[in-house]
Amino acid sequence: MLSQTQKYAKPSFVLVILMAALWHFWALPYSPLPWFDETFFASITHSFINGSGFHLAVCPLQSNGEPVLLYGPIYFLLTGLITKTLGFGLFSFRLANLLGAIVSIFLFSRIIKKLGWRSTTLYLMTILLAFDVIFVQNAHSGRMDLVALAFFLGAINLHLTGHSSIKQQFIALLGTLAVLTTLRIAILVLPFFALVFFTNIKNKQYQQAATLLLTSMLLYAIWIGIGFGSLSNFLAAYTQSHSSSFTGHTLTSSFLGGNFSIPFHQYPMIALGLMSIALLFKQHYQQQKFWLILLPIPFFYLLVKDTGAYSALVVPFWYLIIGMAFEKQAKANTSCLNRLTAFGAIALLLGVNGGVFLLKSATIATTVPQRNNKQLTAWVSKHLPAQSRVVGDDRYYYAVINNHSDFQYIQRVQSNEARAHYHKEEFQPNYLFISSQTTPDIIEAYKQHFVFGDTFTYTPITQQNMVTRLIQKIPMQIHTSLEGTLIQVTPKKILESN
């Protein structure tokens, strides 16, 4: 019976992962609705592929018209390549981070294999990661976190294969590419580099240690020279208050400093992870592989101000720690009750991740017409003249841009009055495109500076079924519709001068 189970384990695992990947590619254009972070980065990519550098066209008020260099160039080079090849749009822009998620899952399984764990542990931990709530959410987000994670996991995977100088160069390259994708992941990469560096020193592999250090420093110094011109300019961008007009604080103070913001659905994973650390610590604290897995966890929670989405960077390490403890229990000569308890704990995590995944999948599948950006784009093409200037909600960004018009945010940054005045004087929009999320005070501020004219309402088909009715009863707002109102406007100053 056991041999039969093992016979079908690998095909079943491959089938589950393959079906999950196909679901992701299908659902990518439907979930989530276009949102702030995504359209922020998409705007920079759009400027880049059109020869305007890393310009934030969607909100020049936030960047003071300066190029956005704070994240590094790699993500925009990748999204630029993809959108230039496939055409700029919602699916093509989100594709880079989804591919980063897929590569991360593959590398995660390779790391487990190189740790010498059983196939059962590999399958269970990989499925846990592939269906993790935050990981799946981030994979569709249009952010760059999982691209950076893929580079980082690639460096760890390479480190586990050997310690030659040429491998140190590639470890340095992959780690630096991760940091050049988003500086936030430096919180994880630098401790890893330090661990590898001092391990080389301890083993008297001085050439390898020097190669790792010098290669990473040289690569990042090249970016500082190209992007900022000097080290002082680079440091000023992160430490001077004018570097972030959106938050009103320095970028360093805005993003550094743990806040222990943990989504409730991560509680079971973290509780089991902490128990796993307690189980492993006494026996494994002297092993480098234990610290390789453990270090990212405390560094993340102590140094990153998380909003929830960023923890996608650290969840693989929670599952590796849990996997290490699960493997230890499986190999130890423990009682049947202990082994059943270990499997029960993993089953609980699978239930949480799988349950939320199924609920979200059902939500997406039953609200596709409301989420369909292609239908919105077709509607916009009938009501919005090309070369128009539009101020609106994030969710209408792609539809407006793909109709050869310009778009800026209606709800960021500064006060409503200051923003409306800026748009009247500088951008001079022809239309506002508002949603149910656009608050009355924002609309009122724009009425002070613009005369409202013809109004067009986009109302997608709304499906009513058991899932949509359930969503309506959940005591939290879940946005599933691109419904909105396009309003023709004329700046009052221009109108009065005529």
Side-chain angles (χ1 to χ4, degrees), residues 51-339:
S52 299
F54 298 147
H55 175 57
L56 184 63
V58 77
C59 194
L61 188 61
Q62 180 173 344
S63 63
N64 298 318
E66 297 293 323
V68 178
L69 306 174
L70 304 170
Y71 298 91
I74 299 302
Y75 186 63
F76 304 112
L77 293 174
L78 291 174
T79 53
L81 176 63
I82 293 172
T83 54
K84 195 72 173 177
T85 303
L86 301 180
F88 183 82
L90 184 151
F91 179 87
S92 60
F93 178 74
R94 290 179 176 178
L95 190 57
N97 203 47
L98 177 59
L99 294 175
I102 293 170
V103 172
S104 293
I105 291 169
F106 171 76
L107 290 168
F108 177 85
S109 67
R110 295 296 299 172
I111 289 169
I112 291 178
K113 197 167 186 179
K114 288 178 181 176
L115 290 171
W117 298 352
R118 299 170 310 136
S119 296
T120 301
T121 307
L122 186 153
Y123 299 154
L124 289 173
M125 295 306 118
T126 303
I127 289 174
L128 279 172
L129 177 62
F131 289 89
D132 180 85
V133 178
I134 294 295
F135 192 86
V136 170
Q137 177 182 312
N138 199 300
H140 286 230
S141 67
R143 290 183 50 83
M144 67 276 287
D145 305 297
L146 300 186
V147 175
L149 179 65
F151 285 126
F152 181 40
L153 292 178
I156 294 174
N157 180 61
L158 193 58
H159 169 66
L160 293 173
T161 64
H163 306 282
S164 66
S165 291
I166 188 66
K167 285 181 179 176
Q168 299 299 306
Q169 288 181 337
F170 281 104
I171 290 169
L173 172 63
L174 290 169
T176 307
L177 287 175
V179 177
L180 289 173
T181 303
T182 172
L183 191 58
R184 184 174 283 108
I185 204 171
I187 300 299
L188 311 185
V189 172
L190 291 178
F192 165 69
F193 274 1
L195 182 65
V196 176
F197 177 81
F198 286 113
T199 299
N200 286 332
I201 295 295
K202 180 182 177 181
N203 295 334
K204 297 183 179 180
Q205 297 173 320
Y206 302 118
Q207 183 178 347
Q208 288 88 331
T211 299
L212 176 71
L213 180 65
L214 295 176
T215 302
S216 55
M217 290 179 64
L218 176 62
L219 289 171
Y220 206 83
I222 291 172
W223 163 241
I224 290 175
I226 293 173
F228 298 88
S230 68
L231 180 60
S232 60
N233 290 341
F234 170 76
L235 294 174
Y238 294 93
T239 58
Q240 294 183 5
S241 59
H242 62 75
S243 65
S244 178
S245 60
F246 179 53
T247 63
H249 302 92
T250 66
L251 285 170
T252 304
S253 63
S254 296
F255 299 114
L256 279 182
N259 58 359
F260 292 94
S261 176
I262 300 171
F264 73 93
H265 49 70
Q266 286 190 331
Y267 291 170
M269 176 193 72
I270 292 176
L272 186 56
L274 291 174
M275 286 189 285
S276 298
I277 293 170
L279 177 67
L280 295 166
F281 193 85
K282 185 176 180 179
Q283 187 175 348
H284 296 274
Y285 77 94
Q286 291 182 325
Q287 296 180 7
Q288 193 223 44
K289 290 180 181 179
F290 174 69
W291 290 104
L292 187 69
I293 295 170
L294 178 62
L295 278 178
I297 295 173
F299 273 89
F300 177 86
Y301 288 104
L302 290 173
L303 295 176
V304 174
K305 286 185 178 177
D306 188 22
T307 61
Y310 306 149
S311 62
L313 293 171
V314 78
V315 291
F317 300 97
W318 279 117
Y319 292 127
L320 286 173
I321 280 290
I322 293 168
M324 181 177 280
F326 181 75
E327 186 74 4
K328 175 182 170 65
Q329 287 291 95
K331 289 181 177 179
N333 187 20
T334 58
S335 67
C336 181
L337 178 61
N338 286 344
R339 289 194 293 272

